[in-house]
Amino acid sequence: MPAGTPPPATAAPAPPASAPRRGVVTASYVLMACALLLVMWQGLLPGLLCACLGFLLTRWLAPRLAWPPGRTVARRPGGGATTGQAIAAAVVMLAPLSLIVLAASHSRSYIVEAPQQYRELLDFLARTVLELRLKLPPDIASHLPEGAVEIQRTIAGYLGAKAGALAMAGRAWLSGLLHAYVGLLIGALAAVRTMGGTRGPLAEALATRITFFGEAFRQIVAAQFWIAAFNTLLTAIFLLGVLPLWGMQLPYTPALITLTFLAGLVPIVGNLLCNAVITIVGLSVSPAAAIACLVFLILIHKAEYVINAKVVGQRTHMGVWELLAVMFVAEAVFGPAGLVAAPLFYAYLKKELQAAQLV
């Protein structure tokens, strides 16, 4: 090289490839956290749980419903869903509607007999109040209603004062059921979605986050299966063994036991739903049966806190104290929805921390 000739310009060193990758992974964490917080703040937890459940059910049913039997469910990239996947998605999407129709067909007798059961309840309350008026001091007994008519007037006044709150609660339940069914549809359709082309780095990172979340959900469902089985066993012993000893037999006992298992697959809330249904059915027999059912089911509900933490903790490798603490904090922040979401969200968080080798 001649003297005085400037050296050739050298290209600037390329930034390390890990920098953009780290940014993409961080963005996926932020998006996942925002999505989960949005689910909690907007009351979309039923939809999220049912979306995961619909996805897992469709994937589980697809190879079992393939036609002809034994046919593989593998498909070509960009191809459509196989016969087994299409049938599985249809079963998952139509099953809730079939259950609603079946429940409506079996509930006509309760609707027809509701006025008579209401009158019997008023008579029972009137007799109970009369006994209390005779036993209590006069200054306290004077505040009690005098008979069935006044009790009915008191109940009507209370319901009238709470009409707005009852309407809001009804709309909330209806909205939750709608979100749950839409989530089920989304999960079933996602399980048979067509994969075509390549995905970008952010899509790959989000797929990893969703995969971890799905694994956590699958572990929680497996743990909840044993919890539901335990609750069903106790309920069957109570309905088939304890109540008949007291001379009380609830109608539709096999259906109630089945409902206990199916609803028990939903943490906490499913148990509350079973409590309400079994108590109402017990009320159709006698107030004493309703009270016995309510007391027994409340005891199961309280015991489920410890049972849930123990079983879920073993399945997800979490300590009982960890899960109880998370459930306590989540319920204080988000209410009952936080209590349901706490095991799932904490299991997912721990999976992410273990994948990053931070715990």
Side-chain angles (χ1 to χ4, degrees):
M1 180 181 297
T5 303
T10 57
S18 60
R21 174 65 181 172
R22 189 180 300 113
V24 169
V25 173
T26 302
S28 68
Y29 285 139
V30 172
L31 289 175
M32 192 69 178
C34 291
L36 294 180
L37 287 176
L38 181 65
V39 165
M40 298 304 299
W41 282 334
Q42 297 300 319
L44 300 177
L45 183 62
L48 175 63
L49 296 179
C50 286
C52 297
L53 184 62
F55 184 90
L56 292 180
L57 281 178
T58 303
R59 287 291 177 89
W60 183 80
L61 287 174
R64 291 161 176 81
L65 297 178
W67 187 261
R71 182 180 177 182
T72 178
V73 298
R75 56 186 177 185
R76 297 185 303 272
T82 63
T83 303
Q85 290 170 330
I87 296 175
V91 168
V92 171
M93 290 187 289
L94 295 178
L97 300 180
S98 303
L99 291 176
I100 291 175
V101 173
L102 182 63
S105 63
H106 284 78
S107 61
R108 287 178 296 179
S109 60
Y110 288 107
I111 297 176
V112 173
E113 297 173 1
Q116 179 62 29
Q117 295 171 4
Y118 178 69
R119 286 192 294 269
E120 292 177 358
L121 177 60
L122 284 180
D123 294 338
F124 173 78
L125 292 176
R127 292 193 302 270
T128 304
V129 169
L130 180 59
E131 293 176 0
L132 290 176
R133 289 175 64 90
L134 295 176
K135 295 178 181 179
L136 293 175
D139 55 341
I140 299 178
S142 61
H143 296 285
L144 297 176
E146 297 180 355
V149 176
E150 189 171 349
I151 293 175
Q152 186 173 9
R153 190 182 303 114
T154 303
I155 294 175
Y158 176 80
L159 294 178
K162 300 295 183 180
L166 292 175
M168 289 293 295
R171 284 197 294 268
W173 275 97
L174 183 60
S175 177
L177 290 176
L178 180 61
H179 289 159
Y181 185 65
V182 172
L184 194 70
L185 296 181
I186 293 173
L189 294 175
V192 297
R193 70 192 185 282
T194 301
M195 299 296 297
T198 59
R199 293 184 295 193
L202 181 58
E204 290 287 349
L206 287 174
T208 303
R209 308 281 80 76
I210 295 173
T211 300
F212 285 149
F213 189 85
E215 292 176 357
F217 180 82
R218 185 161 42 247
Q219 289 179 338
I220 296 296
V221 168
Q224 198 64 35
F225 175 86
W226 295 108
I227 295 173
F230 177 75
N231 288 343
T232 304
L233 176 62
L234 293 182
T235 304
I237 293 174
F238 177 73
L239 296 180
L240 298 176
V242 177
L243 284 182
L245 290 178
W246 295 345
M248 294 179 288
Q249 181 73 37
L250 297 189
Y252 305 109
T253 297
L256 292 176
I257 295 174
T258 304
L259 175 64
T260 300
F261 177 76
L262 294 178
L265 296 175
V266 180
I268 308 299
V269 174
N271 195 19
L272 293 176
L273 175 63
C274 290
N275 292 1
V277 173
I278 294 177
T279 303
I280 292 174
V281 175
L283 187 61
S284 68
V285 175
S286 69
I291 294 174
C293 292
L294 184 60
V295 171
F296 173 77
L297 294 170
I298 286 176
L299 293 177
I300 290 182
H301 174 63
K302 295 304 180 184
E304 189 174 357
Y305 274 88
V306 179
I307 297 170
N308 194 6
K310 183 69 175 177
V311 177
V312 174
Q314 289 179 348
R315 290 277 173 173
T316 57
H317 307 290
M318 295 185 292
V320 176
W321 68 270
E322 293 180 74
L323 201 50
L324 284 176
V326 170
M327 291 167 66
F328 176 77
V329 174
E331 184 182 19
V333 176
F334 296 108
L339 191 63
V340 175
L344 174 59
F345 286 12
Y346 186 66
Y348 164 66
L349 175 62
K350 201 154 188 179
K351 281 188 173 297
E352 290 284 9
L353 294 175
Q354 288 172 347
Q357 298 181 351
L358 296 177
V359 294

